Coordinates of all heavy atoms in Angstrom, one line a residue:
V1 N 12.9 -4.8 -3.8 CA 13.7 -3.9 -2.8 C 12.9 -2.4 -2.9 O 12.4 -2.1 -4.0 CB 15.1 -3.8 -3.4 CG1 15.2 -3.1 -4.8 CG2 15.9 -3.0 -2.4
V2 N 13.1 -1.9 -1.9 CA 12.7 -0.4 -1.8 C 14.1 0.4 -1.6 O 14.8 0.0 -0.6 CB 11.9 -0.1 -0.6 CG1 11.5 1.4 -0.8 CG2 10.5 -0.8 -0.7
D3 N 14.5 1.2 -2.6 CA 15.8 1.8 -2.4 C 15.5 3.3 -2.3 O 14.6 3.7 -1.9 CB 16.6 1.5 -3.7 CG 16.0 2.1 -4.9 OD1 15.2 2.9 -4.8 OD2 16.5 1.7 -6.1
Y4 N 16.7 3.9 -2.2 CA 16.7 5.4 -2.1 C 16.7 6.1 -3.5 O 17.6 5.8 -4.4 CB 17.7 6.0 -1.3 CG 17.8 5.5 0.0 CD1 18.3 4.5 0.6 CD2 17.2 6.4 1.1 CE1 18.3 4.0 1.9 CE2 17.1 5.9 2.4 CZ 17.8 4.8 2.9 OH 17.7 4.5 4.1
D5 N 15.8 6.9 -3.9 CA 15.9 7.8 -5.2 C 16.2 6.9 -6.4 O 16.8 7.5 -7.2 CB 16.9 8.9 -5.0 CG 16.7 9.7 -3.8 OD1 15.5 10.2 -3.8 OD2 17.6 9.8 -2.9
H6 N 15.6 5.7 -6.5 CA 15.8 4.9 -7.7 C 17.2 4.5 -8.0 O 17.5 4.2 -9.1 CB 15.1 5.5 -9.0 CG 13.6 5.7 -8.8 ND1 12.8 4.6 -8.8 CD2 12.9 6.7 -8.6 CE1 11.5 5.1 -8.6 NE2 11.5 6.4 -8.7
Q7 N 17.9 4.4 -7.0 CA 19.4 4.1 -7.3 C 19.6 2.8 -7.9 O 20.6 2.5 -8.7 CB 20.2 4.3 -5.9 CG 20.3 5.8 -5.5 CD 20.9 5.9 -4.1 OE1 21.1 5.0 -3.4 NE2 21.4 7.1 -3.9
S8 N 18.9 1.7 -7.4 CA 19.2 0.4 -8.0 C 18.7 0.3 -9.4 O 19.2 -0.5 -10.2 CB 18.5 -0.8 -7.1 OG 17.0 -0.6 -7.2
Y9 N 17.6 1.2 -9.8 CA 17.2 1.1 -11.0 C 18.1 1.7 -12.0 O 18.3 1.4 -13.2 CB 15.8 1.8 -11.2 CG 15.1 1.8 -12.5 CD1 14.6 0.6 -13.1 CD2 15.1 2.9 -13.3 CE1 14.0 0.6 -14.3 CE2 14.5 2.9 -14.6 CZ 14.0 1.8 -15.0 OH 13.4 1.8 -16.2
H10 N 19.0 2.8 -11.6 CA 19.9 3.5 -12.4 C 21.3 3.1 -12.1 O 22.3 3.8 -12.5 CB 19.7 4.9 -12.1 CG 18.4 5.5 -12.5 ND1 18.1 5.5 -13.9 CD2 17.3 6.0 -11.8 CE1 16.8 6.0 -14.0 NE2 16.3 6.2 -12.8
L11 N 21.5 2.0 -11.4 CA 22.9 1.7 -10.9 C 23.8 1.6 -12.0 O 25.1 2.1 -11.7 CB 22.8 0.4 -10.2 CG 24.1 -0.1 -9.5 CD1 24.5 0.8 -8.5 CD2 23.9 -1.5 -8.7
D12 N 23.4 1.0 -13.2 CA 24.5 0.8 -14.3 C 24.7 2.2 -14.9 O 25.8 2.3 -15.5 CB 23.8 -0.1 -15.3 CG 22.5 0.3 -15.9 OD1 21.8 1.1 -15.2 OD2 22.2 0.1 -17.0
K13 N 24.0 3.3 -14.7 CA 24.3 4.6 -15.3 C 25.0 5.5 -14.3 O 25.7 6.3 -14.7 CB 23.0 5.2 -15.7 CG 22.2 4.4 -16.7 CD 20.9 5.1 -17.1 CE 20.1 4.0 -17.9 NZ 18.7 4.3 -17.9
T14 N 24.8 5.2 -13.0 CA 25.3 6.2 -12.1 C 26.6 5.7 -11.3 O 27.3 6.4 -10.8 CB 24.3 6.7 -11.0 OG1 23.9 5.5 -10.2 CG2 23.2 7.3 -11.7
G15 N 26.6 4.4 -11.1 CA 27.6 3.7 -10.3 C 27.6 4.0 -8.8 O 28.4 3.6 -8.0
V16 N 26.5 4.6 -8.3 CA 26.4 5.0 -6.9 C 25.9 3.8 -6.2 O 25.4 2.8 -6.8 CB 25.3 6.1 -6.6 CG1 25.7 7.4 -7.3 CG2 23.9 5.8 -7.2
S17 N 26.0 3.8 -4.9 CA 25.4 2.8 -4.1 C 24.1 2.6 -4.2 O 23.3 3.5 -4.5 CB 25.7 3.0 -2.5 OG 25.1 2.1 -1.7
A18 N 23.5 1.3 -4.2 CA 22.1 1.1 -4.2 C 21.6 0.3 -3.1 O 21.0 -0.8 -3.1 CB 21.8 0.2 -5.5
R19 N 21.8 0.8 -1.8 CA 21.5 0.2 -0.5 C 20.0 0.3 -0.4 O 19.3 1.2 -0.9 CB 22.2 0.8 0.6 CG 22.0 2.3 0.7 CD 22.9 2.8 1.8 NE 22.7 4.3 1.9 CZ 22.1 4.8 3.1 NH1 21.7 4.0 4.0 NH2 21.9 6.2 3.1
A20 N 19.5 -0.7 0.2 CA 18.0 -0.8 0.5 C 17.6 0.2 1.6 O 18.3 0.4 2.6 CB 17.7 -2.2 0.9
S21 N 16.4 0.7 1.3 CA 15.8 1.5 2.4 C 14.6 0.7 3.1 O 14.1 1.0 4.1 CB 15.1 2.8 2.0 OG 14.0 2.6 0.9
G22 N 14.4 -0.5 2.4 CA 13.3 -1.3 3.0 C 13.1 -2.5 2.1 O 13.5 -2.5 0.9
W23 N 12.1 -3.5 2.5 CA 11.9 -4.6 1.7 C 10.3 -4.8 1.7 O 9.7 -4.7 2.8 CB 12.6 -5.8 2.3 CG 14.0 -5.7 2.4 CD1 14.7 -5.3 3.3 CD2 14.8 -5.9 1.1 NE1 16.0 -5.2 2.9 CE2 16.2 -5.6 1.5 CE3 14.6 -6.3 -0.1 CZ2 17.3 -5.7 0.7 CZ3 15.8 -6.6 -1.1 CH2 16.9 -6.2 -0.6
I24 N 9.8 -5.0 0.5 CA 8.3 -5.3 0.4 C 8.0 -6.7 1.0 O 8.6 -7.6 0.5 CB 7.8 -5.2 -1.0 CG1 8.1 -3.6 -1.5 CG2 6.4 -5.5 -1.2 CD1 7.9 -3.5 -3.0
K25 N 7.2 -6.7 2.0 CA 6.8 -8.0 2.6 C 5.4 -8.5 2.2 O 5.3 -9.7 2.2 CB 6.9 -7.9 4.1 CG 8.3 -7.5 4.7 CD 9.2 -8.7 4.4 CE 10.6 -8.5 5.0 NZ 11.4 -9.7 4.7
E26 N 4.6 -7.6 1.7 CA 3.2 -8.1 1.4 C 2.8 -7.1 0.2 O 3.1 -5.9 0.2 CB 2.3 -8.0 2.4 CG 2.2 -9.0 3.4 CD 1.0 -8.7 4.4 OE1 -0.1 -8.9 4.0 OE2 1.4 -8.3 5.6
L27 N 2.0 -7.6 -0.7 CA 1.3 -6.8 -1.8 C -0.1 -7.3 -1.9 O -0.3 -8.5 -1.8 CB 2.1 -7.0 -3.1 CG 3.3 -6.2 -3.4 CD1 3.9 -6.5 -4.7 CD2 3.2 -4.7 -3.2
E28 N -1.0 -6.3 -2.0 CA -2.4 -6.9 -2.0 C -3.1 -6.0 -3.2 O -3.0 -4.7 -3.1 CB -3.1 -6.6 -0.9 CG -4.5 -6.9 -0.7 CD -5.2 -6.5 0.6 OE1 -4.5 -6.6 1.6 OE2 -6.5 -6.4 0.6
I29 N -3.7 -6.6 -4.2 CA -4.5 -5.8 -5.1 C -5.9 -5.6 -4.5 O -6.5 -6.6 -4.2 CB -4.5 -6.8 -6.4 CG1 -3.0 -6.9 -7.0 CG2 -5.3 -6.0 -7.4 CD1 -2.9 -7.9 -8.1
R30 N -6.3 -4.4 -4.7 CA -7.6 -4.0 -4.2 C -8.2 -3.2 -5.5 O -7.5 -2.9 -6.5 CB -7.5 -3.0 -3.1 CG -6.8 -3.7 -1.8 CD -6.8 -2.6 -0.7 NE -6.1 -3.2 0.5 CZ -5.8 -2.4 1.5 NH1 -6.3 -1.2 1.6 NH2 -5.1 -2.8 2.5
D31 N -9.5 -3.0 -5.4 CA -10.3 -2.3 -6.5 C -9.6 -0.9 -6.8 O -9.7 -0.5 -7.8 CB -11.8 -2.2 -6.1 CG -12.5 -3.4 -6.2 OD1 -12.0 -4.6 -6.7 OD2 -13.5 -3.6 -5.6
D32 N -9.1 -0.3 -5.7 CA -8.6 1.0 -5.9 C -7.0 1.2 -6.2 O -6.5 2.3 -6.1 CB -9.2 2.0 -5.0 CG -8.7 1.6 -3.5 OD1 -8.2 0.5 -3.3 OD2 -8.7 2.5 -2.7
G33 N -6.4 0.0 -6.2 CA -5.0 0.1 -6.3 C -4.3 -1.1 -5.8 O -4.8 -2.2 -5.3
I34 N -2.9 -1.0 -5.7 CA -2.1 -2.1 -5.2 C -1.4 -1.5 -3.9 O -1.0 -0.4 -3.8 CB -0.8 -2.4 -6.1 CG1 -1.4 -2.9 -7.5 CG2 0.0 -3.4 -5.6 CD1 -0.4 -3.0 -8.5
Y35 N -1.6 -2.2 -2.7 CA -1.2 -1.8 -1.5 C -0.1 -2.9 -1.0 O 0.0 -4.0 -1.3 CB -2.4 -2.0 -0.5 CG -3.3 -0.8 -0.8 CD1 -4.2 -1.1 -1.7 CD2 -3.4 0.3 0.1 CE1 -5.3 0.0 -2.0 CE2 -4.4 1.2 -0.2 CZ -5.2 1.1 -1.2 OH -6.3 2.1 -1.5
G36 N 1.0 -2.2 -0.4 CA 2.0 -3.1 0.2 C 2.4 -2.8 1.7 O 2.1 -1.7 2.1
R37 N 3.0 -3.7 2.3 CA 3.6 -3.5 3.6 C 5.1 -3.6 3.4 O 5.6 -4.6 3.0 CB 3.2 -4.6 4.5 CG 3.5 -4.3 5.9 CD 3.0 -5.4 7.0 NE 3.4 -6.8 6.6 CZ 4.6 -7.3 6.9 NH1 5.6 -6.6 7.6 NH2 4.9 -8.6 6.6
I38 N 5.8 -2.5 3.9 CA 7.2 -2.4 3.8 C 7.9 -2.6 5.1 O 7.4 -2.0 6.2 CB 7.6 -1.0 3.2 CG1 7.0 -1.0 1.7 CG2 9.1 -0.9 3.2 CD1 7.1 0.4 1.1
E39 N 9.0 -3.3 5.2 CA 9.7 -3.4 6.4 C 10.9 -2.5 6.3 O 11.8 -2.8 5.4 CB 10.2 -4.9 6.6 CG 11.0 -5.0 7.9 CD 11.5 -6.5 8.1 OE1 10.6 -7.3 8.4 OE2 12.6 -6.8 7.6
W40 N 11.0 -1.3 6.8 CA 11.9 -0.4 6.7 C 13.2 -0.7 7.5 O 13.1 -1.3 8.4 CB 11.4 1.0 7.2 CG 10.2 1.6 6.6 CD1 9.0 1.6 6.9 CD2 10.2 2.0 5.2 NE1 8.1 2.2 6.0 CE2 8.8 2.5 4.9 CE3 11.2 2.2 4.2 CZ2 8.4 3.0 3.8 CZ3 10.7 2.7 2.9 CH2 9.3 3.2 2.8
T41 N 14.4 -0.3 6.9 CA 15.6 -0.3 7.6 C 15.5 0.7 8.7 O 14.8 1.7 8.6 CB 16.8 -0.2 6.7 OG1 16.7 1.1 6.2 CG2 16.8 -1.1 5.5
A42 N 16.5 0.6 9.6 CA 16.5 1.6 10.7 C 16.8 3.0 10.1 O 16.1 3.9 10.6 CB 17.4 1.2 11.7
A43 N 17.8 3.0 9.2 CA 18.2 4.3 8.6 C 17.0 4.9 7.9 O 16.8 6.1 8.0 CB 19.3 4.0 7.8
A44 N 16.2 4.1 7.1 CA 15.2 4.6 6.4 C 14.0 5.1 7.3 O 13.3 6.3 7.2 CB 14.6 3.7 5.3
A45 N 13.6 4.4 8.3 CA 12.7 4.7 9.3 C 13.1 6.1 9.9 O 12.1 7.0 10.1 CB 12.5 3.7 10.3
A46 N 14.3 6.2 10.3 CA 14.8 7.5 10.8 C 14.7 8.7 9.9 O 14.3 9.7 10.3 CB 16.2 7.3 11.4
A47 N 15.1 8.5 8.7 CA 14.9 9.5 7.7 C 13.5 9.9 7.4 O 13.3 11.1 7.2 CB 15.6 9.0 6.3
I48 N 12.5 9.0 7.4 CA 11.2 9.3 7.1 C 10.6 10.1 8.4 O 10.0 11.2 8.2 CB 10.3 8.0 7.0 CG1 10.7 7.3 5.7 CG2 8.8 8.4 7.1 CD1 10.1 6.0 5.6
K49 N 11.0 9.6 9.6 CA 10.6 10.3 10.9 C 11.2 11.7 11.0 O 10.5 12.6 11.3 CB 11.0 9.5 12.0 CG 10.5 10.1 13.3 CD 10.8 9.1 14.5 CE 10.1 9.7 15.8 NZ 10.3 8.8 16.9
A50 N 12.3 11.9 10.5 CA 13.0 13.2 10.4 C 12.5 14.2 9.3 O 12.9 15.2 9.3 CB 14.5 13.1 10.4
G51 N 11.6 13.6 8.3 CA 11.2 14.4 7.3 C 12.2 14.5 6.1 O 12.0 15.4 5.3
E52 N 13.2 13.7 6.1 CA 14.2 13.6 5.1 C 13.7 13.0 3.7 O 14.1 13.4 2.6 CB 15.5 13.1 5.5 CG 16.0 13.8 6.7 CD 17.2 12.9 7.2 OE1 17.5 11.9 6.7 OE2 17.8 13.4 8.3
Y53 N 12.8 12.2 3.9 CA 12.0 11.6 2.7 C 10.6 11.5 3.0 O 10.2 11.4 4.1 CB 12.6 10.1 2.5 CG 13.8 10.0 1.8 CD1 15.0 9.9 2.5 CD2 13.9 10.0 0.4 CE1 16.2 9.8 1.9 CE2 15.2 10.0 -0.2 CZ 16.4 9.9 0.5 OH 17.5 9.8 -0.2
R54 N 9.8 11.6 1.8 CA 8.4 11.8 2.1 C 7.5 10.8 1.3 O 6.4 10.5 1.6 CB 7.8 13.2 1.8 CG 6.5 13.4 2.2 CD 6.1 14.9 2.2 NE 4.8 15.0 2.4 CZ 4.2 16.0 3.2 NH1 4.9 17.0 3.5 NH2 3.0 16.0 3.4
Y55 N 8.0 10.4 0.1 CA 7.1 9.7 -0.9 C 7.7 8.4 -1.3 O 8.9 8.2 -1.2 CB 6.9 10.5 -2.2 CG 6.2 11.8 -2.0 CD1 6.9 13.0 -1.7 CD2 4.8 11.8 -1.8 CE1 6.1 14.2 -1.6 CE2 4.1 13.0 -1.6 CZ 4.9 14.2 -1.4 OH 4.2 15.3 -1.2
L56 N 6.9 7.6 -1.8 CA 7.3 6.3 -2.5 C 7.0 6.4 -4.0 O 6.1 7.2 -4.5 CB 6.5 5.1 -2.1 CG 6.7 4.7 -0.6 CD1 5.7 3.6 -0.2 CD2 8.1 4.2 -0.5
S57 N 7.8 5.9 -4.8 CA 7.7 6.0 -6.3 C 8.1 4.6 -6.9 O 9.2 4.1 -6.9 CB 8.8 7.1 -6.8 OG 8.7 7.1 -8.3
P58 N 7.0 4.0 -7.4 CA 7.2 2.6 -8.0 C 7.6 2.8 -9.5 O 7.4 3.8 -10.2 CB 5.7 2.1 -8.0 CG 4.8 3.3 -8.1 CD 5.6 4.4 -7.3
V59 N 8.4 1.7 -9.8 CA 8.7 1.6 -11.3 C 8.1 0.4 -11.9 O 8.2 -0.7 -11.3 CB 10.2 1.5 -11.4 CG1 10.8 1.1 -13.0 CG2 10.9 2.7 -10.9
F60 N 7.4 0.5 -13.0 CA 6.7 -0.6 -13.5 C 6.4 -0.5 -15.0 O 6.1 0.7 -15.5 CB 5.2 -0.9 -12.8 CG 4.4 0.4 -12.7 CD1 3.6 0.9 -13.8 CD2 4.5 1.2 -11.5 CE1 2.9 2.1 -13.6 CE2 3.8 2.3 -11.3 CZ 2.9 2.9 -12.4
P61 N 6.6 -1.6 -15.8 CA 6.3 -1.5 -17.2 C 4.8 -1.7 -17.4 O 4.1 -2.3 -16.5 CB 7.0 -2.8 -17.7 CG 7.1 -3.6 -16.6 CD 7.2 -2.8 -15.3
L62 N 4.3 -1.1 -18.6 CA 2.8 -1.1 -18.9 C 2.7 -1.8 -20.3 O 3.5 -1.8 -21.1 CB 2.3 0.3 -18.9 CG 2.4 1.2 -17.8 CD1 1.9 2.7 -18.1 CD2 1.5 0.7 -16.6
T63 N 1.6 -2.5 -20.3 CA 1.1 -3.0 -21.6 C 0.4 -1.8 -22.4 O 0.5 -0.6 -22.0 CB -0.1 -4.0 -21.4 OG1 -1.3 -3.2 -20.9 CG2 0.3 -5.1 -20.5
N64 N 0.4 -2.0 -23.7 CA -0.1 -1.0 -24.6 C -1.4 -0.3 -24.3 O -1.6 0.9 -24.5 CB -0.3 -1.6 -26.1 CG 1.2 -1.8 -26.8 OD1 2.1 -1.3 -26.3 ND2 1.1 -2.7 -27.7
D65 N -2.2 -1.1 -23.5 CA -3.5 -0.5 -23.1 C -3.4 0.0 -21.6 O -4.4 0.4 -21.0 CB -4.6 -1.5 -23.1 CG -4.4 -2.8 -22.3 OD1 -3.3 -2.9 -21.7 OD2 -5.3 -3.6 -22.2
G66 N -2.2 0.2 -21.1 CA -2.0 0.9 -19.8 C -2.1 0.0 -18.6 O -2.1 0.6 -17.4
R67 N -2.0 -1.3 -18.8 CA -2.2 -2.2 -17.6 C -0.7 -2.4 -17.0 O 0.2 -2.5 -17.7 CB -2.8 -3.5 -17.9 CG -4.3 -3.4 -18.2 CD -5.0 -4.7 -18.6 NE -4.8 -5.7 -17.5 CZ -4.5 -7.0 -17.9 NH1 -4.5 -7.4 -19.1 NH2 -4.3 -7.8 -16.8
V68 N -0.6 -2.4 -15.7 CA 0.6 -2.7 -15.0 C 1.1 -4.1 -15.2 O 0.2 -5.0 -14.9 CB 0.6 -2.4 -13.5 CG1 1.9 -2.8 -12.8 CG2 0.3 -0.8 -13.3
V69 N 2.2 -4.4 -15.7 CA 2.7 -5.7 -15.8 C 3.2 -6.4 -14.6 O 3.0 -7.5 -14.3 CB 3.7 -5.8 -17.0 CG1 4.3 -7.2 -17.3 CG2 3.1 -5.4 -18.3
M70 N 4.2 -5.6 -13.9 CA 4.7 -6.1 -12.7 C 5.4 -4.8 -12.1 O 5.5 -3.8 -12.6 CB 5.8 -7.1 -12.9 CG 7.1 -6.6 -13.5 SD 8.3 -7.8 -13.7 CE 8.8 -7.6 -15.3
I71 N 5.7 -4.9 -10.7 CA 6.5 -3.8 -10.2 C 7.9 -4.1 -10.1 O 8.3 -5.2 -9.6 CB 5.9 -3.6 -8.7 CG1 4.4 -3.2 -8.9 CG2 6.8 -2.6 -8.0 CD1 3.8 -3.1 -7.5
L72 N 8.8 -3.5 -10.8 CA 10.1 -3.7 -10.9 C 10.9 -3.4 -9.5 O 11.7 -4.2 -9.0 CB 10.9 -3.0 -12.0 CG 10.4 -3.4 -13.3 CD1 11.1 -2.4 -14.4 CD2 10.8 -4.8 -13.6
N73 N 10.7 -2.2 -9.0 CA 11.2 -1.7 -7.7 C 10.3 -0.6 -7.2 O 9.5 0.0 -8.0 CB 12.7 -1.5 -7.8 CG 13.0 -0.2 -8.4 OD1 12.3 0.4 -9.0 ND2 14.3 0.2 -8.2
V74 N 10.6 -0.1 -6.1 CA 10.1 1.1 -5.4 C 11.3 1.9 -4.8 O 12.2 1.3 -4.3 CB 9.0 0.6 -4.4 CG1 8.4 1.9 -3.8 CG2 8.1 -0.4 -5.1
A75 N 11.0 3.1 -5.0 CA 12.0 4.1 -4.3 C 11.4 4.9 -3.2 O 10.3 5.4 -3.3 CB 12.6 4.9 -5.4
L76 N 12.2 5.2 -2.2 CA 11.8 6.3 -1.2 C 12.4 7.5 -1.8 O 13.6 7.6 -2.1 CB 12.4 5.8 0.1 CG 12.2 6.7 1.3 CD1 10.7 6.8 1.6 CD2 12.9 6.2 2.7
T77 N 11.6 8.6 -2.0 CA 12.1 9.8 -2.7 C 11.4 10.9 -2.3 O 10.4 10.9 -1.6 CB 11.9 9.4 -4.3 OG1 12.6 10.5 -5.0 CG2 10.5 9.3 -4.7
N78 N 11.8 12.1 -2.7 CA 11.1 13.3 -2.6 C 10.4 13.7 -3.9 O 9.8 14.8 -3.9 CB 12.0 14.3 -2.0 CG 12.1 14.0 -0.6 OD1 11.4 13.6 0.2 ND2 13.4 14.3 -0.1
S79 N 10.8 13.1 -5.0 CA 10.1 13.5 -6.3 C 9.7 12.4 -7.0 O 10.0 11.8 -7.9 CB 11.3 14.0 -7.2 OG 12.0 15.1 -6.5
P80 N 8.3 11.9 -6.5 CA 7.7 10.8 -7.1 C 7.1 11.2 -8.6 O 6.8 12.3 -8.7 CB 6.6 10.4 -6.2 CG 6.1 11.8 -5.6 CD 7.6 12.4 -5.4
A81 N 7.0 10.3 -9.5 CA 6.5 10.6 -10.8 C 4.9 10.5 -10.8 O 4.3 10.9 -11.7 CB 7.1 9.5 -11.9
L82 N 4.4 9.9 -9.7 CA 2.9 9.7 -9.6 C 2.5 10.6 -8.5 O 3.1 10.9 -7.6 CB 2.5 8.3 -9.3 CG 3.0 7.3 -10.2 CD1 2.8 5.9 -9.7 CD2 2.5 7.4 -11.6
E83 N 1.1 11.1 -8.7 CA 0.5 11.8 -7.6 C -0.1 10.8 -6.6 O -0.8 9.8 -7.0 CB -0.6 12.7 -8.1 CG -0.1 13.8 -8.9 CD -1.2 14.8 -9.4 OE1 -2.3 14.9 -8.6 OE2 -1.1 15.4 -10.3
M84 N 0.4 10.9 -5.4 CA -0.1 10.1 -4.3 C 0.0 10.6 -3.0 O 0.8 11.5 -2.9 CB 0.7 8.6 -4.4 CG 2.2 8.8 -4.2 SD 3.0 7.3 -4.3 CE 2.9 6.9 -6.1
E85 N -0.5 10.0 -2.0 CA -0.4 10.5 -0.6 C 1.1 10.3 -0.1 O 1.7 9.3 -0.5 CB -1.4 9.7 0.4 CG -2.7 10.1 0.1 CD -3.7 9.6 1.2 OE1 -3.3 9.5 2.4 OE2 -4.9 9.2 0.8
A86 N 1.5 11.1 0.7 CA 2.9 11.0 1.2 C 2.9 9.8 2.2 O 2.0 9.7 3.1 CB 3.3 12.3 1.8
V87 N 3.9 9.1 2.1 CA 4.1 8.0 3.1 C 4.5 8.5 4.5 O 4.2 7.9 5.5 CB 5.4 7.1 2.7 CG1 6.6 7.7 2.7 CG2 5.4 5.8 3.3
A88 N 4.9 9.8 4.5 CA 5.3 10.4 5.8 C 4.4 11.5 6.1 O 4.8 12.5 6.8 CB 6.8 10.9 5.8
A89 N 3.1 11.5 5.8 CA 2.2 12.6 6.0 C 2.0 12.8 7.4 O 1.9 11.8 8.3 CB 0.8 12.3 5.2

Protein backbone atom coordinates (compact mmCIF):
# COMPACT_ATOMS: atom_id res chain seq x y z
CA VAL A 1 0.00 0.00 0.00
CA VAL A 2 0.93 3.61 -0.52
CA ASP A 3 -0.82 5.61 2.17
CA TYR A 4 -0.91 9.23 3.29
CA ASP A 5 1.71 10.39 5.82
CA HIS A 6 2.54 6.85 7.06
CA GLN A 7 -0.95 6.48 8.54
CA SER A 8 -1.11 2.69 8.09
CA TYR A 9 2.30 2.27 9.73
CA HIS A 10 1.18 4.28 12.78
CA LEU A 11 -2.45 3.13 12.80
CA ASP A 12 -2.20 1.38 16.17
CA LYS A 13 -0.78 4.56 17.77
CA THR A 14 -3.00 7.20 16.20
CA GLY A 15 -6.31 5.53 15.43
CA VAL A 16 -6.66 7.69 12.32
CA SER A 17 -7.89 6.44 8.97
CA ALA A 18 -5.32 4.61 6.87
CA ARG A 19 -6.85 4.98 3.43
CA ALA A 20 -4.71 4.20 0.43
CA SER A 21 -3.31 6.88 -1.86
CA GLY A 22 -2.15 4.22 -4.29
CA TRP A 23 -1.00 0.68 -4.87
CA ILE A 24 2.44 -0.49 -5.92
CA LYS A 25 1.97 -2.47 -9.13
CA GLU A 26 5.63 -3.14 -10.04
CA LEU A 27 9.02 -3.06 -8.37
CA GLU A 28 12.34 -3.27 -10.17
CA ILE A 29 15.80 -3.48 -8.64
CA ARG A 30 18.39 -1.52 -10.60
CA ASP A 31 22.06 -0.80 -9.94
CA ASP A 32 21.19 2.64 -8.55
CA GLY A 33 18.10 1.76 -6.50
CA ILE A 34 14.63 0.29 -6.35
CA TYR A 35 12.06 1.65 -8.78
CA GLY A 36 8.33 1.15 -8.70
CA ARG A 37 5.16 1.90 -10.61
CA ILE A 38 2.27 3.16 -8.53
CA GLU A 39 -1.38 3.17 -9.50
CA TRP A 40 -2.68 6.31 -7.76
CA THR A 41 -6.20 6.72 -6.47
CA ALA A 42 -8.15 9.57 -8.04
CA ALA A 43 -7.91 11.60 -4.81
CA ALA A 44 -4.13 11.14 -4.55
CA ALA A 45 -3.56 11.99 -8.22
CA ALA A 46 -5.56 15.19 -7.73
CA ALA A 47 -3.63 16.05 -4.53
CA ILE A 48 -0.28 15.55 -6.30
CA LYS A 49 -1.39 17.63 -9.28
CA ALA A 50 -2.62 20.39 -6.95
CA GLY A 51 0.73 20.46 -5.13
CA GLU A 52 -0.74 19.20 -1.86
CA TYR A 53 1.73 16.30 -1.69
CA ARG A 54 5.19 16.13 -3.15
CA TYR A 55 7.28 13.18 -1.93
CA LEU A 56 7.28 9.44 -1.34
CA SER A 57 8.71 8.00 1.86
CA PRO A 58 9.40 4.25 2.11
CA VAL A 59 9.52 2.28 5.37
CA PHE A 60 11.96 -0.62 5.39
CA PRO A 61 13.93 -2.66 7.94
CA LEU A 62 17.70 -2.96 7.48
CA THR A 63 20.21 -5.66 8.27
CA ASN A 64 23.13 -4.81 10.58
CA ASP A 65 25.26 -4.04 7.52
CA GLY A 66 22.68 -1.61 6.11
CA ARG A 67 20.98 -3.77 3.45
CA VAL A 68 17.25 -3.33 2.86
CA VAL A 69 15.34 -6.45 3.91
CA MET A 70 11.92 -5.54 2.45
CA ILE A 71 9.69 -2.56 1.85
CA LEU A 72 6.93 -2.52 4.48
CA ASN A 73 4.98 0.35 2.98
CA VAL A 74 5.35 3.70 1.27
CA ALA A 75 3.75 7.01 2.15
CA LEU A 76 2.76 10.00 0.08
CA THR A 77 4.07 12.82 2.28
CA ASN A 78 5.65 16.24 2.43
CA SER A 79 8.29 15.21 4.99
CA PRO A 80 10.28 12.24 3.67
CA ALA A 81 13.04 10.79 5.83
CA LEU A 82 15.26 10.24 2.78
CA GLU A 83 16.66 12.72 0.30
CA MET A 84 15.10 12.00 -3.09
CA GLU A 85 13.59 13.66 -6.09
CA ALA A 86 10.06 14.88 -5.66
CA VAL A 87 7.36 12.67 -7.14
CA ALA A 88 5.52 15.86 -8.10
CA ALA A 89 8.51 17.83 -9.42
